[in-house]
Amino acid sequence: MPANASTRSSDSNTSATSLHAAVADDFAAVNRTIMDQLASRVPLVETIGQYIIASGGKRLRPLLVLLAARALGYRGDKHISLATLIEFMHTSTLLHDDVVDESHMRRGRATANDAWGNAPSVLVGDYLYSRSFQMMVEIGSLKIMGILSGATCVIAEGEVQQLTNVGNPDIDEAVYFETIQGKTAMLFEAATHSGAVLAEADPQQEAALQYYGRYLGLAFQLVDDLLDYQGDATAMGKNVGDDLAEGKPTLPLIQAMAAGTPDQAKTIRQAIRQGGLDQLEEVLAIVRDTGALDYTRARAEEMSAKALEQLDLLPPSRYRDSMAELARLAVERQN
């Protein structure tokens, strides 16, 4: 059932630190490994890599690897390398995305492409992808390599699909979900799925953790898209209305067009086609008045509830508790 007040944490401002507490030692090892694996004979590679890695964020994807593996009783050390390479994969997509989107700010700081230019950002992103595949080989699991290599293809397809969606007001909800499954949820899913495989989960638990990651990733992206129309720029580290400025037809706009009057739908269609922020205030009013924001949040809560259901197949542990808290936090956060 959808998450409600009785199933949410009493503290909606749960810190990232509390989520990491169950795997604090592992997470510290991941941070050390990240810096070790960034080593390169080319100084600019290290400089840009360290800049983007140190730019903030909760590092949820490597956290998911650690929690998934530990929740199933894993006692080895390969989960540290797995978590690190997942973070490298994620970081490389950020570097590439910021170039494609011509972004100038991420997490309240200048993007790497803004600071060093597009070409170095793309090439360092390629380096991090390559490093992640080197680390996959070292882990020595063909099944994990299959999961992660397949994920890279899906993620790339999702990014291309999002690019082709820009400026197109005819994108429907089904296409939107297909897009965010590729560009965002796939790496969440790969993180928990590969963590389960590393821990030699039984088929039911492996599937449960795979789907937990998928639904969690969808919930996070839905809330990201929601916050673009009601968030605070300082808290978010980006500008409110960025998606509209880029002409991205996200769920708040898709639902507003479906629920609004013909004139309201016409306004949003025009805003998507043109991009920019000339109609931002009018569009913000429409997404509020049509209930599109409430609808988007309800879909996010639905995905969070589905993620929580998957955890029923895991044995009780503090790791499972942290994963449950993370699913609740996904829809309660403000950045």
mmCIF file of all heavy atoms in Angstrom, residues 62-82:
data_model
loop_
_atom_site.group_PDB
_atom_site.id
_atom_site.type_symbol
_atom_site.label_atom_id
_atom_site.label_comp_id
_atom_site.label_asym_id
_atom_site.label_seq_id
_atom_site.Cartn_x
_atom_site.Cartn_y
_atom_site.Cartn_z
ATOM 1 N N PRO A 62 26.746 3.461 -4.231
ATOM 2 C CA PRO A 62 27.657 2.577 -3.501
ATOM 3 C C PRO A 62 27.096 2.142 -2.152
ATOM 4 O O PRO A 62 27.335 1.007 -1.716
ATOM 5 C CB PRO A 62 28.923 3.427 -3.331
ATOM 6 C CG PRO A 62 28.525 4.828 -3.587
ATOM 7 C CD PRO A 62 27.387 4.761 -4.546
ATOM 8 N N LEU A 63 26.341 3.011 -1.499
ATOM 9 C CA LEU A 63 25.707 2.628 -0.238
ATOM 10 C C LEU A 63 24.779 1.435 -0.441
ATOM 11 O O LEU A 63 24.743 0.506 0.380
ATOM 12 C CB LEU A 63 24.924 3.816 0.328
ATOM 13 C CG LEU A 63 24.071 3.544 1.568
ATOM 14 C CD1 LEU A 63 24.951 3.132 2.745
ATOM 15 C CD2 LEU A 63 23.247 4.788 1.925
ATOM 16 N N LEU A 64 24.046 1.446 -1.546
ATOM 17 C CA LEU A 64 23.125 0.349 -1.830
ATOM 18 C C LEU A 64 23.860 -0.970 -2.032
ATOM 19 O O LEU A 64 23.373 -2.031 -1.621
ATOM 20 C CB LEU A 64 22.285 0.682 -3.067
ATOM 21 C CG LEU A 64 21.215 1.752 -2.860
ATOM 22 C CD1 LEU A 64 20.618 2.175 -4.194
ATOM 23 C CD2 LEU A 64 20.122 1.248 -1.916
ATOM 24 N N VAL A 65 25.011 -0.922 -2.673
ATOM 25 C CA VAL A 65 25.812 -2.135 -2.825
ATOM 26 C C VAL A 65 26.173 -2.705 -1.456
ATOM 27 O O VAL A 65 26.000 -3.906 -1.196
ATOM 28 C CB VAL A 65 27.103 -1.848 -3.627
ATOM 29 C CG1 VAL A 65 28.008 -3.084 -3.622
ATOM 30 C CG2 VAL A 65 26.777 -1.434 -5.051
ATOM 31 N N LEU A 66 26.678 -1.852 -0.593
ATOM 32 C CA LEU A 66 27.109 -2.291 0.736
ATOM 33 C C LEU A 66 25.948 -2.861 1.539
ATOM 34 O O LEU A 66 26.065 -3.920 2.164
ATOM 35 C CB LEU A 66 27.745 -1.122 1.490
ATOM 36 C CG LEU A 66 28.953 -0.450 0.827
ATOM 37 C CD1 LEU A 66 29.410 0.745 1.658
ATOM 38 C CD2 LEU A 66 30.097 -1.439 0.635
ATOM 39 N N LEU A 67 24.830 -2.156 1.542
ATOM 40 C CA LEU A 67 23.679 -2.601 2.326
ATOM 41 C C LEU A 67 23.105 -3.908 1.782
ATOM 42 O O LEU A 67 22.741 -4.805 2.557
ATOM 43 C CB LEU A 67 22.598 -1.519 2.335
ATOM 44 C CG LEU A 67 22.911 -0.253 3.131
ATOM 45 C CD1 LEU A 67 21.826 0.799 2.902
ATOM 46 C CD2 LEU A 67 23.060 -0.552 4.622
ATOM 47 N N ALA A 68 23.018 -4.018 0.448
ATOM 48 C CA ALA A 68 22.466 -5.242 -0.146
ATOM 49 C C ALA A 68 23.330 -6.442 0.189
ATOM 50 O O ALA A 68 22.822 -7.507 0.582
ATOM 51 C CB ALA A 68 22.342 -5.069 -1.663
ATOM 52 N N ALA A 69 24.634 -6.293 0.025
ATOM 53 C CA ALA A 69 25.540 -7.418 0.313
ATOM 54 C C ALA A 69 25.499 -7.804 1.784
ATOM 55 O O ALA A 69 25.380 -8.996 2.132
ATOM 56 C CB ALA A 69 26.955 -7.055 -0.114
ATOM 57 N N ARG A 70 25.577 -6.814 2.664
ATOM 58 C CA ARG A 70 25.580 -7.100 4.098
ATOM 59 C C ARG A 70 24.233 -7.644 4.573
ATOM 60 O O ARG A 70 24.185 -8.486 5.492
ATOM 61 C CB ARG A 70 25.934 -5.836 4.876
ATOM 62 C CG ARG A 70 27.374 -5.379 4.724
ATOM 63 C CD ARG A 70 28.363 -6.431 5.160
ATOM 64 N NE ARG A 70 29.700 -5.865 5.426
ATOM 65 C CZ ARG A 70 30.780 -6.600 5.596
ATOM 66 N NH1 ARG A 70 30.706 -7.931 5.549
ATOM 67 N NH2 ARG A 70 31.955 -6.025 5.827
ATOM 68 N N ALA A 71 23.136 -7.179 3.981
ATOM 69 C CA ALA A 71 21.815 -7.666 4.384
ATOM 70 C C ALA A 71 21.669 -9.154 4.135
ATOM 71 O O ALA A 71 20.846 -9.825 4.782
ATOM 72 C CB ALA A 71 20.721 -6.907 3.630
ATOM 73 N N LEU A 72 22.458 -9.688 3.208
ATOM 74 C CA LEU A 72 22.406 -11.120 2.903
ATOM 75 C C LEU A 72 23.594 -11.871 3.501
ATOM 76 O O LEU A 72 23.890 -12.995 3.107
ATOM 77 C CB LEU A 72 22.354 -11.315 1.389
ATOM 78 C CG LEU A 72 21.054 -10.820 0.739
ATOM 79 C CD1 LEU A 72 21.128 -10.909 -0.763
ATOM 80 C CD2 LEU A 72 19.857 -11.623 1.261
ATOM 81 N N GLY A 73 24.284 -11.230 4.444
ATOM 82 C CA GLY A 73 25.313 -11.927 5.199
ATOM 83 C C GLY A 73 26.672 -11.994 4.540
ATOM 84 O O GLY A 73 27.509 -12.816 4.953
ATOM 85 N N TYR A 74 26.948 -11.164 3.559
ATOM 86 C CA TYR A 74 28.255 -11.211 2.897
ATOM 87 C C TYR A 74 29.357 -10.841 3.888
ATOM 88 O O TYR A 74 29.239 -9.868 4.628
ATOM 89 C CB TYR A 74 28.268 -10.249 1.709
ATOM 90 C CG TYR A 74 29.575 -10.264 0.939
ATOM 91 C CD1 TYR A 74 29.940 -11.367 0.178
ATOM 92 C CD2 TYR A 74 30.451 -9.184 0.993
ATOM 93 C CE1 TYR A 74 31.141 -11.394 -0.516
ATOM 94 C CE2 TYR A 74 31.648 -9.201 0.297
ATOM 95 C CZ TYR A 74 31.996 -10.314 -0.450
ATOM 96 O OH TYR A 74 33.182 -10.328 -1.135
ATOM 97 N N ARG A 75 30.461 -11.595 3.862
ATOM 98 C CA ARG A 75 31.546 -11.372 4.814
ATOM 99 C C ARG A 75 32.906 -11.145 4.144
ATOM 100 O O ARG A 75 33.921 -11.078 4.828
ATOM 101 C CB ARG A 75 31.655 -12.579 5.765
ATOM 102 C CG ARG A 75 30.465 -12.708 6.712
ATOM 103 C CD ARG A 75 30.404 -11.550 7.696
ATOM 104 N NE ARG A 75 29.254 -11.640 8.594
ATOM 105 C CZ ARG A 75 28.113 -11.018 8.391
ATOM 106 N NH1 ARG A 75 27.963 -10.256 7.300
ATOM 107 N NH2 ARG A 75 27.108 -11.136 9.233
ATOM 108 N N GLY A 76 32.923 -11.051 2.829
ATOM 109 C CA GLY A 76 34.187 -10.820 2.137
ATOM 110 C C GLY A 76 34.502 -9.339 2.026
ATOM 111 O O GLY A 76 33.971 -8.510 2.775
ATOM 112 N N ASP A 77 35.387 -8.990 1.070
ATOM 113 C CA ASP A 77 35.755 -7.577 0.902
ATOM 114 C C ASP A 77 35.547 -7.057 -0.517
ATOM 115 O O ASP A 77 35.835 -5.898 -0.795
ATOM 116 C CB ASP A 77 37.205 -7.353 1.329
ATOM 117 C CG ASP A 77 38.197 -8.190 0.513
ATOM 118 O OD1 ASP A 77 37.788 -8.864 -0.460
ATOM 119 O OD2 ASP A 77 39.391 -8.182 0.868
ATOM 120 N N LYS A 78 35.046 -7.901 -1.412
ATOM 121 C CA LYS A 78 34.867 -7.460 -2.792
ATOM 122 C C LYS A 78 33.730 -6.448 -2.943
ATOM 123 O O LYS A 78 33.642 -5.765 -3.955
ATOM 124 C CB LYS A 78 34.636 -8.665 -3.710
ATOM 125 C CG LYS A 78 35.872 -9.527 -3.893
ATOM 126 C CD LYS A 78 35.634 -10.644 -4.896
ATOM 127 C CE LYS A 78 36.913 -11.465 -5.097
ATOM 128 N NZ LYS A 78 36.708 -12.575 -6.068
ATOM 129 N N HIS A 79 32.868 -6.359 -1.939
ATOM 130 C CA HIS A 79 31.798 -5.362 -2.010
ATOM 131 C C HIS A 79 32.360 -3.945 -1.981
ATOM 132 O O HIS A 79 31.706 -3.020 -2.478
ATOM 133 C CB HIS A 79 30.788 -5.560 -0.880
ATOM 134 C CG HIS A 79 31.334 -5.384 0.499
ATOM 135 N ND1 HIS A 79 32.545 -5.899 0.919
ATOM 136 C CD2 HIS A 79 30.824 -4.723 1.588
ATOM 137 C CE1 HIS A 79 32.761 -5.582 2.173
ATOM 138 N NE2 HIS A 79 31.736 -4.856 2.605
ATOM 139 N N ILE A 80 33.566 -3.766 -1.451
ATOM 140 C CA ILE A 80 34.189 -2.443 -1.436
ATOM 141 C C ILE A 80 34.540 -2.020 -2.870
ATOM 142 O O ILE A 80 34.231 -0.906 -3.297
ATOM 143 C CB ILE A 80 35.453 -2.440 -0.556
ATOM 144 C CG1 ILE A 80 35.126 -2.900 0.875
ATOM 145 C CG2 ILE A 80 36.097 -1.059 -0.560
ATOM 146 C CD1 ILE A 80 34.119 -2.050 1.600
ATOM 147 N N SER A 81 35.156 -2.930 -3.612
ATOM 148 C CA SER A 81 35.478 -2.639 -5.011
ATOM 149 C C SER A 81 34.216 -2.459 -5.841
ATOM 150 O O SER A 81 34.151 -1.574 -6.706
ATOM 151 C CB SER A 81 36.328 -3.767 -5.599
ATOM 152 O OG SER A 81 37.596 -3.826 -4.989
ATOM 153 N N LEU A 82 33.209 -3.286 -5.574
ATOM 154 C CA LEU A 82 31.961 -3.185 -6.328
ATOM 155 C C LEU A 82 31.288 -1.840 -6.082
ATOM 156 O O LEU A 82 30.825 -1.176 -7.028
ATOM 157 C CB LEU A 82 31.027 -4.331 -5.934
ATOM 158 C CG LEU A 82 29.670 -4.399 -6.646
ATOM 159 C CD1 LEU A 82 29.830 -4.448 -8.154
ATOM 160 C CD2 LEU A 82 28.881 -5.611 -6.148
#
